[in-house]
Amino acid sequence: MVVGTQWGDEGKGRFTDLLSRQMDMVVRYQGGHNAGHTLVVDGQTFKLQLVPSGVLYPHVTPVIGNGVVIDPMVLIDEMDRLAEAGVDCGRLKVSGNAHLIFPYHQALDVVAERHLGRNKLGTTKRGIGPAYADKAARVGLRVQDLLDPKIFREKLGVVLHEKNPLLAKVYNRLPFDLETLATQYLEECRPRIEPHIADTVGLLHDALEAGQNLLFEGAQAMFLDLDHGTYPFVTSSNPVAGGVCVGAGIGPRHVDRVIGVTKAYISRVGSGPFPSELTDEVGDRLVDVGREYGTNTKRRRRCGWLDTVMLRHAVRVNSLSDLAITKLDVLDALDPIKVCVAYEVDGQRRSSMPYHQSEIHRASPIFEELPGWGTDLSAVSDRAKLPGEAEDYLRFIEEQAGVPATLVSVGPGRDQFIAFSPVP
Ligand code: GDP
Ligand code: IMO
Ligand code: MG
């Protein structure tokens, strides 16, 4: 598994792409098109939202599991864009049990945020939260419903009966027309999605029994997890490693390696606490050098120093076996480099994550300073060629985390990485 250990955008896509070389299937198990995973291959950039990052390899079967929420228009658009770039999505499998996102989900996401005013979550406004809410409320429509127009219309009618008055009377928005939506989904989307619909749980288990290699690609990250993140400033799914069991239908004993993708510093888009946040010119430097603008929403990401209180918590909750550290090159010109190793909360030093949200809001970072290396790392591909200070920084992270770093990236390109242990 590949999971994010921070607030997203750690570089999960680029390492999923790299590890996909040796995989038979690459599987998304949660989230939706709130994700934006960037792959840079031979100078060509791919921004993926729903299609798993293994799609570039013709031998890989990309799978969208039951735990994902799918806007079919977005998926079709993404498949078309990939086809234009010469990437065939014919092998893509989509779970019939995955839930569908509708335009009313997006409309509700937008108005709910507006309603919250200055307490807004800063969602991606893609309808993700409302779609998962309908799933939990058992009024969601699933991909398999596209295959039965009568049932599809019936279910949609029931949902609109509730959503339309809510949109019109509470939020003063236009209602949605049943026939317009049904036509769009059943006549425009269904023919494009139907060839991909599959029993993905059966497919994954057949592959496991045949001894194939499966890679699960997390979207979002540990601290955006609905249960383990900085609630309510989270997404509405479970990106943590445990999410794979529910979101793909795999028992925990099948997962033998969990790679925690960790940016050499931290970024966050949207609202919520961020103890090691930098609001000074160093933060601006990280945004500029790291190009920290949202892959989809183009929003400026908030940046801060690496936080090992968070990292240790991510190691525990995800049972991380190792770390993949990204964007080390972004720190090239910084000196000193700081790492948050503990928090001060109400005058007390805390080296583990407070469970109480108010304490996380009140936490101030306790930093250790490490010397910078002042060298361009972007062409380093061999650990032995890393400057001593960079090696020390990585060792410091490993010690703090208690698990080894096995991959380190020094640029966005597929080949811009250093393998600390052989890449499988
Ligand atoms: P994801 O959502 O976790 O897959 O990450 P994103 O793709 O949203 O954000 C990571 C960004 O950093 C992308 O623009 C990548 O191309 C870029 N990136 C990934 N690894 C590196 C790296 O080692 N160095 C630099 N400079 N950029 C990187
Ligand atoms: P990847 O997979 C970074 C954030 C949003 C917002 C919160 C809730 O590219 O790492 P949502 O639309 O999910 O209800 O928004 O979660 N968020 C992400 N931040 N990377 C992502 O995905 C994100 N997906 C959601 O900015 O704060
Ligand atoms: Mg991203």
Side-chain angles (χ1 to χ4, degrees):
M1 292 193 68
V2 168
V3 296
T5 65
Q6 299 163 343
W7 281 294
D9 305 325
E10 296 90 351
K12 299 173 292 294
R14 63 97 31 96
F15 275 133
T16 301
D17 164 66
L18 182 77
L19 294 163
S20 295
R21 278 199 308 221
Q22 299 299 325
M23 296 295 153
D24 298 293
M25 288 184 179
V26 179
V27 188
R28 278 277 305 270
Y29 59 91
Q30 46 70 235
H33 65 301
N34 47 350
H37 295 185
T38 317
L39 325 180
V40 181
V41 180
D42 299 331
Q44 199 178 358
T45 300
F46 300 88
K47 293 177 190 291
L48 301 175
Q49 296 180 265
L50 279 165
V51 175
S53 299
V55 70
L56 300 191
Y57 297 89
H59 70 273
V60 167
T61 303
V63 179
I64 299 181
N66 55 277
V68 176
V69 284
I70 301 174
D71 183 328
M73 308 294 260
V74 174
L75 181 57
I76 292 166
D77 185 55
E78 194 169 327
M79 291 194 290
D80 287 345
R81 276 189 293 117
L82 282 163
E84 275 165 30
V87 180
D88 173 31
C89 288
R91 299 145 1 252
L92 177 72
K93 304 292 179 205
V94 178
S95 168
N97 287 351
H99 278 246
L100 291 168
I101 297 184
F102 285 87
Y104 52 80
H105 290 129
Q106 203 198 346
L108 286 166
D109 199 349
V110 172
V111 288
E113 280 284 271
R114 199 166 297 159
H115 208 68
L116 284 171
R118 64 182 190 87
N119 295 320
K120 70 174 183 180
L121 308 178
T123 74
T124 59
K125 299 186 181 158
R126 302 288 202 259
I128 305 294
Y132 276 117
D134 278 0
K135 175 180 177 176
R138 293 152 297 178
V139 295
L141 275 79
R142 298 187 288 175
V143 168
Q144 59 178 286
D145 292 322
L146 290 170
L147 304 178
D148 190 331
K150 187 166 167 287
I151 295 212
F152 186 94
R153 280 197 171 79
E154 262 175 41
K155 288 186 176 174
L156 191 57
V158 171
V159 182
L160 287 179
H161 190 67
E162 185 221 347
K163 302 296 179 200
N164 277 341
L166 178 65
L167 280 164
K169 294 188 180 144
V170 177
Y171 293 116
N172 200 22
R173 286 289 172 281
L174 290 176
F176 286 91
D177 176 55
L178 171 63
E179 263 325 298
T180 311
L181 283 184
T183 307
Q184 188 185 20
Y185 277 64
L186 294 171
E187 284 168 31
E188 276 178 53
C189 300
R190 174 183 169 172
R192 294 294 309 279
I193 304 287
E194 188 170 350
H196 301 278
I197 302 178
D199 164 20
T200 56
V201 174
L203 207 67
L204 297 185
H205 285 279
D206 288 346
L208 285 168
E209 281 158 27
Q212 294 193 355
N213 292 325
L214 272 53
L215 180 64
F216 295 91
E217 176 183 15
Q220 291 81 54
M222 164 78 196
F223 290 91
L224 288 172
D225 185 279
L226 182 58
D227 285 80
H228 298 284
T230 46
Y231 190 91
F233 304 103
V234 293
T235 192
S236 299
S237 68
N238 291 112
V240 294
V244 76
C245 296
V246 177
I250 294 288
R253 288 192 298 139
H254 285 296
V255 183
D256 47 29
R257 186 174 173 200
V258 186
I259 305 172
V261 184
T262 303
K263 207 181 311 206
Y265 51 97
I266 297 190
S267 69
R268 173 167 207 169
V269 243
S271 325
F274 185 167
S276 66
E277 182 169 14
L278 285 162
T279 50
D280 58 4
E281 65 278 10
V282 182
D284 293 341
R285 279 276 285 288
L286 290 174
V287 174
D288 291 344
V289 180
R291 300 199 184 153
E292 295 295 351
Y293 293 91
T295 307
N296 296 321
T297 58
K298 312 282 179 253
R299 287 178 293 173
R300 189 180 201 274
R301 296 173 181 152
R302 300 153 64 192
C303 284
W305 296 115
L306 184 71
D307 179 336
T308 63
V309 180
M310 288 170 62
L311 186 54
R312 282 189 292 275
H313 197 50
V315 169
R316 282 181 155 181
V317 174
N318 295 278
S319 56
L320 297 184
S321 47
D322 52 307
L323 302 179
I325 297 175
T326 56
K327 303 188 98 164
L328 188 65
D329 56 297
V330 175
L331 304 182
D332 280 354
L334 294 180
D335 193 10
I337 294 169
K338 296 189 190 180
V339 179
C340 170
V341 294
Y343 300 147
E344 188 185 307
V345 185
D346 304 331
Q348 284 197 326
R349 185 186 170 103
R350 302 275 288 270
S351 52
S352 60
M353 200 71 197
Y355 87 92
H356 201 291
Q357 181 76 5
S358 309
E359 291 184 343
I360 303 174
H361 279 272
R362 290 204 302 278
S364 51
I366 299 175
F367 290 118
E368 281 199 26
E369 287 190 8
L370 285 90
W373 43 90
T375 331
D376 177 3
L377 296 185
S378 62
V380 178
S381 58
D382 178 359
R383 184 175 190 171
K385 302 224 169 74
L386 273 177
E389 294 86 352
E391 174 73 28
D392 290 346
Y393 183 64
L394 295 171
R395 279 188 196 279
F396 186 78
I397 298 173
E398 288 181 319
E399 272 165 31
Q400 289 279 319
V403 291
T406 51
L407 289 164
V408 175
S409 70
V410 291
R414 185 187 263 174
D415 302 322
Q416 286 180 291
F417 74 94
I418 307 166
F420 280 16
S421 72
V423 177

